[in-house]
Amino acid sequence: QVQLVESGGGLVQAGGSLRLSCAASGRTFSTYAMGWFRQAPGKEREFVAAISRSGGTTYYADSVKGRFTISRDNAKNTVYLQTNSLKPEDTAVYYCAADWAQLSTRAENYDYWGQGTQVTVSS
């Protein structure tokens, strides 16, 4: 079992940056691929970024490519999402998730989820 706790969200002006963190419990963090998803009010949860167990492979949604960077520190059981050049349309609750089986962009493939952290970008 893995427990995930996100932090780092907040209110930022358009063009600003935030660094989201997701701390995982347990000794098996390095065996999970990790992902970030987000959900805006009235919208479905959408994929943002994912990273393989070793950190050697990353995937990004087209909407964030070039602006967001996912990374992980297996020694600290933590995955990060650096968000730059934020836009009002990035406003959402951001969730991290753990996938034991594979690196995926599909939410239904993830096994464990955090509670989310709110990111609000003002124009």
Side-chain angles (χ1 to χ4, degrees):
Q1 190 114 10
V2 176
Q3 292 185 327
L4 305 172
V5 179
E6 301 96 335
S7 62
L11 174 64
V12 63
Q13 289 188 330
S17 299
L18 286 172
R19 189 194 196 199
L20 308 184
S21 299
C22 173
S25 64
R27 300 179 180 179
T28 59
F29 176 73
S30 62
T31 66
Y32 289 86
M34 298 297 295
W36 285 96
F37 292 78
R38 66 187 182 186
Q39 188 166 18
K43 295 188 176 181
E44 293 187 353
R45 190 169 298 190
E46 65 173 357
F47 169 75
V48 175
I51 189 167
S52 63
R53 296 176 179 88
S54 67
T57 302
T58 56
Y59 295 155
Y60 294 95
D62 288 342
S63 60
V64 307
K65 204 171 292 183
R67 299 189 298 123
F68 291 10
T69 302
I70 188 171
S71 62
R72 67 189 296 162
D73 185 337
N74 285 343
K76 296 183 177 179
N77 282 12
T78 302
V79 62
Y80 304 98
L81 185 69
Q82 178 67 44
T83 66
N84 297 330
S85 302
L86 284 162
K87 305 175 182 180
E89 52 263 43
D90 294 317
T91 295
V93 177
Y94 284 70
Y95 299 90
C96 72
D99 183 346
W100 184 80
Q102 59 186 346
L103 179 61
S104 174
T105 64
R106 299 171 64 91
E108 57 266 34
N109 289 339
Y110 282 77
D111 305 294
Y112 301 102
W113 292 82
Q115 293 300 305
T117 186
Q118 176 72 47
V119 172
T120 303
V121 184
S122 63
S123 57

